[in-house]
Amino acid sequence: HKGSIRAVAFAPAGDRFASAGTKGQVKLWGPDGRVENLPPPGSDARTLVFTSDGRQLFGAGWFDLYRWDLDRRKLTTLDTDHRGIINSIVFDSTETYLASISRITDSSVLMLDPQSGETVRRFQSHKLCGGSIAMAPNGRIMATTADDASVMIWMLE
């Protein structure tokens, strides 16, 4: 990268990882040390996550969700209801939904459809900029953080 690194994620098998930097750079690092540039998103990806089969990589930036099909090296940009930088994304335990939190002009906590970017469920926003989001391995509890030093926890059942 030729600047700051914004995000990094390991593929589930642990054999490769992806990194996102400034200027829209997203790189896929292979087990043999080979580095491949993926198609650049519309804005810097602030967060990255692989699907459990390692065939897709998701990222997010200003307003949008990014989905890379790693078999075809194709990027799809999905509009979301976020009105700011999507700071953190994480899959639920079944990979049916992608939980997300945004910051700056928006502190929304949304559950998104990973294929369309549409909001499936909206949660209470934080008072200040959203920080990160995490999902319990059993998929029943979600937690978010924000710049107001708050942690919100949801029981998803």
Side-chain angles (χ1 to χ4, degrees):
H1 288 280
K2 295 178 182 170
S4 299
I5 307 296
R6 299 229 185 250
V8 65
F10 274 96
D15 59 341
R16 59 189 173 153
F17 68 95
S19 60
T22 55
K23 301 179 182 154
Q25 296 178 325
V26 178
K27 296 178 180 287
L28 188 62
W29 304 74
D32 57 0
R34 194 179 73 187
V35 180
E36 187 176 344
N37 289 315
L38 295 177
S43 68
D44 292 345
R46 299 293 190 114
T47 178
L48 296 171
V49 62
F50 282 90
T51 54
S52 62
D53 62 8
R55 297 180 73 187
Q56 293 184 70
L57 175 67
F58 283 79
W62 277 98
F63 313 118
D64 296 325
L65 191 61
Y66 307 121
R67 183 181 65 228
W68 287 270
D69 176 328
L70 297 177
D71 292 334
R72 299 184 306 154
R73 300 304 194 253
K74 182 181 179 204
L75 170 64
T76 302
T77 300
L78 304 168
D79 188 33
T80 71
D81 289 332
H82 284 292
R83 295 298 115 211
I85 293 171
I86 303 170
N87 208 46
S88 183
I89 57 175
V90 64
F91 277 107
D92 72 325
S93 61
T94 63
E95 291 188 5
T96 304
Y97 307 113
L98 200 56
S100 59
I101 188 168
S102 56
R103 65 181 293 113
I104 306 230
T105 58
D106 181 24
S107 61
S108 295
V109 179
L110 305 176
M111 198 71 76
L112 304 172
D113 178 320
Q115 299 311 308
S116 68
E118 292 180 17
T119 299
V120 177
R121 189 170 172 192
R122 186 178 299 271
F123 298 86
Q124 178 183 344
S125 296
H126 285 269
K127 291 180 182 170
L128 287 179
C129 299
S132 77
I133 193 163
M135 188 78 62
N138 64 12
R140 297 184 345 213
I141 304 170
M142 181 175 73
T144 58
T145 66
D147 288 358
D148 60 4
S150 66
V151 175
M152 292 186 175
I153 298 174
W154 289 274
M155 304 306 285
L156 299 177
E157 295 179 337

